[in-house]
């Protein structure tokens, strides 16, 4: 065993020893041997444990076994430590480049047989596709080298260390190293060998690297090859059979550009790929080639000459059991799901993904912003003092990271932008990275959001800009200074394409106002869309001591510092279930738009390059949600960017029911990502005859009474409802509280917030201060009239002088029981309200209320600033499915625009409520849950909710919007619920 010094955990050098230059991740027929599988493993609490384990004869029989790839903190049920979640914070002292002595260190060993013939005139390479964080490699006791860059590929030349027969590879992995300071992404810290380990034979005459640059112009393809190979590899042959290309290069000097006729272009909508091969006598390499030209023309980002609009998501590698370990079947379904929800772009936040993910992106069709493995966000805690981004000592490490990023993935047509990293401040090292990328790849532009002044990047990028600020960036003629910019720098940035690299923080229930951002994209061509933060929650599957499974987040593993449930911020839950926000996103960004005008509809194709020949347009007519007619519109093929106006079908309008026309654009044939008939876009037209709302009956014969009586299906004692349709019930009680969403719990930054917000204070905190979660009431009066009961209550909370007066009038109207509730706040309320509603509590009794059928907006939850995915029809659901299992329990399940609601128990209808619009035509919404808002607000996880014995129905006159305040703008003023007088009118009948 050699005694040469190894890399120290405080060493900022990116690699040592027999580390080979970065190159493409290629498919080759040269022999290879996967070293994935069980490895012997030992975890030590510090980095100073003896290194004798690398010797060939070391006895590792007492060690444990661990799978490779994996993260050791996700193995052994805590035997090897636990995950740590931080967003910005470093989980160790900020003392760069040093890390604590308490540094978990994993030692790995594996035996492997060298296949026969490998040691004769050939090179042998050991490849690691991902190891967190710093690792050192030995083969047969010989130290080979070390490397850092957790999400980057590293290859070592082990030719001189391997021998025929049995060999042993040993790897030491340190959880913390100097590299950890530049890998502070918003995610779990998950150490270990988490991607593939492969032994590669490099035969004499092998091809070292291939880059097939492409371009496209009016049916002609351009192929600009770069091949790295020694003289012994020639002659080389390039073949693209579908295009009739067979080009032989006898020497490196003959490798030149080819122009090819009859080429179909690649785009995210039509991801046309051609199988290509580059061969020598010793090696056959296969690639898939997509022809496209990427360019910036003025302030427009173009592919194949057409402007691109990114309807994208930020995608981390995350799985509740595997962490960042890649599973191709799961990844393929993940990307197919993106396509089904009209996502067309991926930002690989904030590192290169497993290389096969990019093969899938090429095949299924995505615009990809490929990001380098770089983030130093924790230095924000100390005002960016000591940030490596502007320290020349770190330049080699920065350049190594971007070189490994670009070289590995340069062949992918889906990658249209290179990104230097994320939230690493700014400085000369980032500028050096950009210069290297520009020199290496002159076609694809360079992105980095932190370059606010645009000194070294090609695209103006921002995070979480408000709608108003985004409009200022996009509007021609705008002169206001941009963030951190002088007037001259502002003008320079406005002359570039603009991207929201992160927006619409999808944490918990939200975000709201997605449609307002989308409208700007179609108004101002400089704006090119953006990437929602983010695609999926990062919950880790865990179990309670009682054995109940749940998805854990920050703090659930007793971390010293953590950022709570901020890691649960995706449009997909940890178990792959789409949230309502993903359905909302799909509806907002749908690539086909419908504009109704009298008896016609204009159908516009907003796609980049695909016409509508893959779609057919189905229509249906419903009366009060009941289907009465259906058919198919005859729509000419609409080219990308075009529009066609077509005649609507004849619609039989009902005189006594609402009449709705729905048009769906659906796939004519199955694709790789969706079945035939999949709905791509949808729209509704209301053709209802306007019918008068029954007037409120004026009564003048009110007189005091004790309030004990029966009105139809309702029974009262002392003015309080006790039974309804034969079931025990309490209420209605005023409900102004909702279990705060993650956005509600986040302090306002004063950006695009309502005038009822308080900068620096969370709305939820204002609600608790006002006592909205603990209202009490005092009855002011009880009175009777013929077939009617009226109660007046004053509702307030302890230590508060503000109040709400609630007048509830029960009456028999035309044989039906009607409830009218007048809600009027006192003066002095200063904050927005979460809701204005009334709550009924329905104890289980003989049978629980366990479901609902309704006519209104659905099928999923909807809120004032998140309504685009909702449609008007009839729906039904179990009570469990009415709410969403967000990572942290919170407000969920509100259905807007209610017309009729029927509560069910065991499939039997038990109570029907007809909701009448108020004097302004506004309709209420409803929520049906097994827990009260107050109970939900107390729980950090679903398993902490108390055992339910009652169903709770809330009829809301109004709800506060959702916004994106957990990381972004507040609820837009239009959707902020200020204290106000509202009316709720219901007609109730037995089921």
């Amino acid at each position: 065993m050699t005694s040469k010094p190894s890399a120290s955990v405080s060493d900022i050098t990116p690699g040592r020893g027999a580390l080979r230059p970065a190159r493409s991740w290629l498919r080759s027929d040269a022999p290879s041997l996967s070293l994935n599988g069980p490895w012997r493993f030992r975890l030590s609490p510090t980095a100073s444990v003896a290194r004798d384990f690398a010797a060939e004869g070391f006895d590792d029989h007492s060690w444990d076994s661990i799978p490779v790839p994996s993260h050791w903190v996700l193995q052994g049920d805590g035997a090897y430590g636990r995950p740590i979640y931080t967003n910005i914070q470093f989980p160790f002292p900020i003392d760069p480049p040093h890390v604590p002595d308490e540094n978990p260190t994993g030692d790995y060993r594996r035996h492997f047989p060298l296949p026969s013939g490998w040691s004769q005139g050939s090179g042998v390479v050991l490849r690691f596709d991902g190891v967190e964080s710093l690792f050192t490699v030995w083969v047969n006791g010989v130290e080979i080298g070390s490397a850092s860059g957790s999400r980057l590929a590293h290859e070592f030349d082990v030719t001189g260390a391997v021998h025929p027969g049995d060999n042993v590879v040993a790897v030491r992995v340190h959880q913390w190293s100097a590299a950890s300071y530049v890998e502070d992404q918003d995610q779990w810290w998950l150490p270990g060998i988490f991607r593939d380990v492969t032994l590669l034979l490099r035969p004499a005459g092998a091809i070292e690297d291939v880059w097939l640059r492409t371009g496209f112009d009016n049916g002609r393809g351009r192929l600009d090859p770069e091949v790295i190979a020694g003289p012994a590899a020639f002659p080389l042959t390039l073949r693209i059979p579908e295009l009739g290309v067979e080009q032989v290069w006898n020497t490196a000097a003959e490798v030149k550009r080819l122009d090819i006729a009859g080429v179909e272009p690649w785009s995210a909508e039509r991801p046309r790929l051609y199988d290509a091969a580059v061969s020598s006598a010793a090696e056959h390499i296969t690639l898939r080639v997509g022809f496209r030209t990427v360019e910036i023309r003025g302030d427009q980002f173009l592919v194949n000459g057409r402007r691109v609009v990114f309807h994208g998501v930020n995608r981390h590698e995350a799985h509740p059991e595997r962490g960042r370990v890649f599973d191709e079947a799961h990844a393929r379904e993940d990307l197919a799901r993106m396509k089904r929800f009209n996502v067309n772009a991926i930002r690989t936040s904030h590192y290169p993904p497993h290389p096969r993910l990019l093969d899938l992106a090429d095949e299924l069709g995505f615009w990809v912003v490929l990001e380098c493995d770089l983030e130093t966000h924790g230095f924000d805690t100390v005002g960016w003092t000591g940030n490596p981004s502007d320290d020349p000592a770190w330049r080699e490490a920065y350049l190594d990271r971007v070189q490994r990023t670009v070289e590995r993935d340069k062949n992918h047509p889906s990658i249209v932008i290179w990104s230097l990293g994320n939230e690493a401040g700014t400085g000369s090292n980032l500028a050096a990275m950009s210069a290297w990328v520009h020199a290496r790849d002159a076609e694809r532009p360079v992105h980095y959001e932190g370059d606010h002044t645009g000194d070294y990047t090609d695209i103006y990028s921002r995070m979480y800009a408000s709608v108003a600020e985004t409009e200022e960036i996009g509007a021609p003629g705008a002169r206001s200074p941009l963030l951190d910019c002088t007037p001259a720098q502002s003008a320079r940035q406005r002359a570039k394409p603009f991207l929201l690299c992160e927006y619409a923080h999808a944490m918990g229930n939200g975000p709201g106002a997605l449609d307002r951002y989308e409208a700007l994209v179609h108004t101002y061509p400089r704006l090119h869309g953006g990437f929602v933060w983010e695609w999926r929650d990062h919950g880790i599957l865990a179990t309670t001591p009682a054995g109940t499974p749940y998805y854990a987040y920050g703090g659930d593993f007793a971390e010293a510092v953590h950022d709570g449930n901020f890691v649960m911020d995706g449009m997909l839950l940890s178990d792959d279930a789409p949230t309502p926000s993903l359905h909302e996103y799909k509806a907002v960004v749908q690539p086909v738009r419908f504009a109704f005008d009298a008896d016609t509809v204009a159908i516009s194709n907003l796609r980049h390059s695909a016409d509508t020949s893959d779609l057919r347009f189905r229509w249906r007519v419903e009366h009060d949600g009941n289907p009465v007619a259906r058919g198919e519109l005859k729509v000419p093929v609409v080219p990308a960017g075009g529009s066609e106006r077509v005649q609507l079908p004849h619609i039989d309008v009902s005189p006594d029911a609402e009449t709705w026309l729905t048009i769906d654009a659906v796939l004519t044939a199955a694709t790789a990502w969706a079945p035939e008939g999949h709905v791509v876009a949808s729209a509704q037209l209301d053709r209802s005859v306007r019918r008068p709302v029954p007037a409120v009956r004026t009564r003048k014969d009110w007189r005091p009474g004790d309030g004990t009586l029966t009105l139809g299906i309702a029974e009262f004692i002392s003015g309080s409802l006790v039974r309804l349709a034969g079931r025990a019930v309490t209420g209605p009680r005023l409900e102004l509280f909702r279990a705060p969403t993650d956005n509600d719990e986040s302090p306002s930054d004063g950006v695009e917030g309502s005038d009822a917000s308080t900068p620096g204070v969370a709305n939820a905190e204002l609600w608790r201060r006002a006592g909205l979660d603990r209202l009490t009431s005092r009855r002011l009066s009880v009175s009777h009239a013929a077939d009617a009961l009226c109660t007046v209550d004053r509702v307030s909370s302890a230590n508060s002088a503000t109040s709400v007066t609630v007048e509830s009038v029960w009456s028999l109207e035309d044989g039906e029981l009607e409830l009218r509730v007048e809600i009027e706040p006192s003066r002095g309320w200063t904050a927005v309200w979460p809701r204005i509603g009334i709550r009924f509590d329905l104890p289980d009794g003989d049978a629980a209320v366990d479901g609902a059928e309704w006519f209104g907006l659905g099928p999923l939850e909807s809120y004032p600033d998140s309504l685009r995915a909702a449609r008007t029809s009839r729906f039904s659901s179990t009570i469990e499915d009415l709410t969403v299992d967000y990572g942290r329990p919170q407000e969920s399940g509100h259905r807007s625009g209610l017309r009729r609601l029927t509560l069910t128990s065991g499939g039997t209808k038990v109570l029907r409520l007809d909701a009448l619009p108020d004097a302004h035509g506004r309709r209420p919404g409803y929520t049906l849950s097994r827990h009260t808002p107050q109970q939900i607000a107390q729980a950090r996880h679903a398993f902490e909710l108390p055992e339910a014995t009652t169903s709770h129905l809330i009829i809301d006159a109004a709800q506060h919007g959702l916004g994106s305040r957990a990381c972004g703008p507040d609820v837009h003023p239009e959707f902020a619920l200020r204290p106000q007088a509202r009316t709720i009118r219901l007609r109730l009948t037995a089921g």
Side-chain angles (χ1 to χ4, degrees):
M1 178 172 170
T2 64
S3 60
K4 72 170 101 170
S6 303
S8 161
V9 291
S10 299
D11 190 350
I12 62 176
T13 303
R16 292 177 179 272
L19 188 61
R20 304 175 83 243
R23 64 187 184 117
S24 301
W25 197 85
L26 297 168
R27 292 185 187 83
S28 168
D29 69 347
S32 65
L33 178 67
S34 173
L35 298 186
N36 292 352
W39 288 52
R40 307 301 290 179
F41 179 73
R42 175 186 67 185
L43 183 67
S44 303
T46 73
S48 58
V49 64
R51 304 160 68 87
D52 58 351
F53 80 101
E56 281 188 272
F58 181 85
D59 184 0
D60 59 17
H61 287 91
S62 64
W63 288 20
D64 297 334
S65 177
I66 197 171
V68 169
S70 71
H71 304 281
W72 71 62
V73 293
L74 297 183
Q75 301 295 316
D77 194 23
Y80 311 118
R82 290 293 193 181
I84 299 170
Y85 167 61
T86 62
N87 170 25
I88 298 173
Q89 305 177 82
F90 286 121
F92 44 79
I94 304 174
D95 182 24
H98 307 292
V99 294
D101 293 337
E102 295 84 1
N103 186 358
T105 296
D107 290 332
Y108 296 78
R109 284 174 55 88
R110 165 156 184 163
H111 290 261
F112 64 90
L114 190 72
S116 60
W118 274 42
S119 58
Q120 300 174 1
S122 302
V124 181
V125 170
L126 182 59
R127 181 185 183 98
F128 294 84
D129 283 308
V131 182
E132 183 176 332
S133 140
L134 170 69
F135 69 105
T136 303
V137 182
W138 294 262
V139 174
N140 295 326
V142 176
E143 183 172 333
I144 303 300
S146 60
S148 60
S150 297
R151 270 68 69 176
L152 304 170
H154 297 90
E155 292 183 339
F156 297 90
D157 187 339
V158 297
T159 307
V162 296
H163 51 62
D166 182 65
N167 294 260
V168 63
V169 57
V171 183
R172 170 159 287 180
V173 181
H174 304 290
Q175 176 159 11
W176 310 123
S177 70
S180 302
Y181 284 100
V182 295
E183 294 179 358
D184 188 30
Q185 293 96 336
D186 177 7
Q187 62 181 353
W188 294 96
W189 297 88
L190 300 173
I193 304 174
F194 68 94
R195 287 187 185 157
D196 305 308
V197 181
T198 312
L199 200 68
L200 306 170
L201 177 68
R202 307 304 301 142
I207 302 168
E208 181 63 18
D209 202 1
V210 174
W211 184 8
L212 299 183
R213 293 184 177 96
T214 67
F216 178 82
D217 185 21
N218 292 323
R220 295 189 65 83
R222 182 187 78 246
L223 193 72
D224 193 1
E226 174 187 290
V227 180
I228 298 176
F234 289 89
L236 296 176
T237 303
L238 166 70
R239 293 183 179 88
I240 309 178
E242 271 193 274
L243 296 174
V245 172
E246 184 163 343
Q247 177 71 43
V248 178
W249 301 310
N250 290 299
T251 66
E254 295 181 11
V255 180
K256 295 180 180 178
R257 166 177 164 170
L258 284 76
D259 291 313
I260 308 168
V263 168
E264 297 177 44
W266 184 97
S267 74
E269 293 164 1
R270 289 182 169 170
R272 183 65 163 94
L273 295 171
Y274 293 90
D275 290 329
V278 177
S279 305
S280 70
E283 186 174 19
H284 180 75
I285 289 173
T286 57
L287 306 88
R288 293 188 299 181
V289 175
F291 292 88
R292 87 284 181 273
T293 295
V294 178
E295 62 180 321
I296 290 177
R297 194 181 301 164
D299 61 0
Q300 305 282 295
F301 176 83
L302 311 176
V303 174
N304 298 333
R306 293 186 61 86
R307 171 177 174 256
V308 172
V309 175
F310 295 89
H311 292 133
V313 294
N314 283 275
R315 180 191 180 274
H316 267 292
E317 292 188 309
H319 187 274
E321 296 174 86
R322 295 188 298 272
R324 283 187 285 278
V325 175
F326 183 74
D327 177 86
E328 184 162 333
H330 185 261
R332 179 180 287 277
E333 174 53 28
D334 217 28
L335 266 60
R337 186 183 292 110
M338 289 182 189
K339 297 285 284 190
R340 293 195 293 271
F341 281 91
N342 291 333
V343 173
N344 71 2
I346 298 169
R347 178 179 178 228
T348 67
S349 54
H350 298 291
Y351 44 82
H354 190 283
R356 278 292 293 155
L357 190 282
L358 298 167
D359 289 337
L360 298 177
D362 293 342
E363 174 189 324
L364 294 174
F366 289 91
W367 311 115
V368 173
V369 176
L370 190 79
E371 203 141 75
C372 183
D373 187 7
L374 176 67
E375 181 166 338
T376 68
H377 205 169
F379 286 95
D380 182 50
T381 306
V382 292
W384 296 101
T385 300
N387 182 23
S389 295
D390 203 33
D391 183 345
W394 289 80
R395 185 158 302 168
E396 181 187 357
Y398 273 56
L399 287 172
D400 180 76
R401 285 173 180 268
V402 79
Q403 289 164 8
R404 291 187 179 279
T405 297
V406 172
E407 296 295 357
R408 192 197 76 169
D409 297 327
K410 55 186 177 283
N411 279 293
H412 292 282
S414 57
I415 298 172
V416 292
I417 296 173
W418 299 113
S419 181
L420 303 180
N422 184 69
E423 293 176 321
T426 190
S428 60
N429 292 339
L430 287 154
M433 293 169 72
S434 179
W436 184 89
V437 176
H438 281 112
R440 185 70 176 113
D441 184 3
E443 180 183 63
R444 285 178 276 211
V446 173
H447 164 276
Y448 176 65
E449 188 271 346
D451 181 27
H452 292 161
T453 56
D455 293 333
Y456 48 84
T457 50
D458 306 304
I459 292 167
Y460 183 35
S461 177
R462 284 291 312 284
M463 294 181 181
Y464 307 108
S466 68
V467 171
E469 184 184 359
T470 304
E471 185 166 21
E472 270 292 301
I473 293 168
R479 295 289 184 268
S480 60
L482 301 177
L483 180 70
D484 296 336
C485 287
T486 66
Q489 291 166 337
S490 297
R492 175 170 65 190
Q493 292 294 65
R494 282 195 170 95
K496 298 177 181 178
F498 177 73
L499 263 185
L500 283 162
C501 68
E502 294 179 22
Y503 82 111
H505 193 261
M507 186 175 179
N509 191 347
L514 284 166
D515 52 348
R516 292 181 172 249
Y517 286 100
E518 181 66 13
L520 294 179
V521 167
H522 299 289
T523 303
Y524 305 112
R526 179 184 305 151
L527 306 181
H528 287 72
F531 298 82
V532 170
W533 187 268
E534 64 173 304
W535 172 239
R536 66 162 58 245
D537 284 359
H538 298 215
I540 290 179
L541 187 61
T543 57
T544 68
T548 302
Y550 72 101
Y551 291 102
Y553 50 75
D556 288 334
F557 298 109
E559 301 101 308
V561 296
H562 63 85
D563 287 298
N565 70 317
F566 208 70
V567 77
M568 311 292 264
D569 51 7
M571 294 193 293
L572 208 65
L573 298 179
S574 300
D575 63 357
D576 292 346
T579 66
S581 70
L582 186 53
H583 290 268
E584 180 75 1
Y585 185 80
K586 175 185 178 180
V588 166
V589 306
Q590 62 184 28
V592 177
R593 299 292 168 87
F594 304 87
F596 296 101
D597 183 15
D599 293 325
T600 65
V601 60
I603 298 176
S604 299
N605 179 6
L606 304 182
R607 290 163 155 180
H608 172 269
S609 47
D611 61 30
T612 61
S613 59
D614 62 332
L615 303 175
R616 54 192 176 94
F617 295 83
R618 301 186 309 206
W619 61 266
R620 65 183 180 276
V621 174
E622 295 174 334
H623 291 164
D624 275 359
N626 297 307
V628 296
R630 63 179 65 246
E632 191 167 311
L633 285 180
K634 297 188 184 306
V635 179
V637 173
V638 185
S643 182
E644 291 283 348
R645 184 167 292 279
V646 298
Q647 191 73 26
L648 291 174
H650 172 72
I651 300 173
D652 288 322
V653 177
S654 171
D656 55 5
E658 291 188 38
T659 301
W660 287 86
L661 169 71
T662 303
I663 300 178
D664 293 327
V666 305
L667 292 177
T668 59
T671 68
W673 46 269
E676 177 187 352
H678 167 75
V679 177
V680 172
S682 186
Q684 277 196 316
L685 174 65
D686 185 0
R687 280 295 182 87
S688 306
V689 174
R690 299 304 167 205
R691 291 171 288 166
V693 177
V696 174
R697 179 179 173 185
T698 303
R699 297 176 183 271
K700 298 182 179 180
D701 56 342
W702 293 108
R703 62 190 185 278
D706 65 3
T708 299
L709 74 164
T710 298
L711 288 175
I713 63 170
E715 300 175 36
F716 303 87
I717 296 177
S718 299
S720 297
L721 180 68
V722 294
R723 294 186 72 80
L724 194 56
R727 297 183 63 91
V729 61
T730 60
R733 56 165 288 174
L734 179 69
E735 187 63 86
L736 301 180
F737 185 66
R738 71 183 187 193
T741 66
D742 292 305
N743 292 320
D744 295 336
E745 288 283 14
S746 297
S748 171
D749 58 7
V751 176
E752 202 162 86
S754 81
D755 53 15
S757 295
T758 301
V761 182
N763 276 336
E765 176 58 27
L766 297 176
W767 300 340
R768 287 187 285 262
R769 289 180 191 176
L772 298 189
D773 58 338
R774 47 185 171 82
L775 296 176
T776 61
S777 64
R778 178 170 63 87
R779 180 139 295 166
L780 302 181
S781 66
V782 179
S783 54
H784 298 265
D787 295 328
L789 170 69
C790 176
T791 61
V792 180
D793 297 283
R794 183 181 186 272
V795 181
S796 189
S797 66
N799 200 38
S800 174
T802 54
S803 64
V804 179
T805 301
V806 180
E807 181 185 67
S808 302
V809 178
W810 295 87
S811 59
L812 290 176
E813 307 289 346
D814 305 320
E816 285 188 316
L817 179 67
E818 179 172 311
L819 168 63
R820 176 172 54 85
V821 181
E822 301 286 354
I823 301 165
E824 184 175 349
S826 69
R827 295 178 181 271
W829 292 95
T830 57
V832 294
W833 279 352
R835 70 180 346 135
I836 303 174
I838 55 174
R839 190 178 98 202
F840 297 89
D841 298 329
L842 301 112
D844 290 352
D846 294 332
V849 169
D850 58 10
E853 300 173 0
W854 74 100
F855 174 41
L857 290 180
L860 303 176
E861 64 185 27
S862 56
Y863 292 82
D865 53 356
S866 183
L867 286 166
R868 292 286 290 273
R871 68 179 189 273
T872 302
S873 189
R874 285 185 178 273
F875 307 98
S876 64
S877 174
T878 64
I879 195 169
E880 290 81 10
D881 289 341
L882 284 170
T883 52
V884 180
D885 292 329
Y886 293 114
R888 181 185 69 81
Q890 56 195 274
E891 163 66 29
S892 172
H894 178 77
R895 266 71 177 176
S896 310
L898 181 65
R899 278 81 162 166
R900 177 175 295 167
L901 170 65
T902 301
L903 303 181
T904 61
S905 177
T908 300
K909 299 177 181 180
V910 297
L911 181 66
R912 193 182 88 183
L913 300 85
D914 288 279
L916 304 180
D918 67 10
H920 299 281
R922 298 172 296 194
R923 294 186 180 275
Y926 87 94
T927 304
L928 181 64
S929 172
R930 292 292 285 168
H931 294 94
T932 68
Q934 291 77 9
Q935 290 171 330
I936 296 169
Q938 293 299 314
R940 293 180 64 249
H941 302 90
F943 69 81
E944 297 169 346
L945 291 166
E947 184 177 353
T949 59
T950 302
S951 296
H952 307 278
L953 171 66
I954 302 176
I955 303 295
D956 283 318
Q959 273 256 3
H960 186 57
L962 299 174
S964 186
R965 192 157 139 178
C967 190
D970 200 353
V971 174
H972 193 275
E974 179 182 345
F975 306 115
L977 181 56
R978 295 165 181 81
Q980 58 191 263
R982 296 297 289 255
T983 300
I984 295 173
R985 288 183 71 190
L986 304 172
R987 291 209 167 168
L988 302 95
T989 56

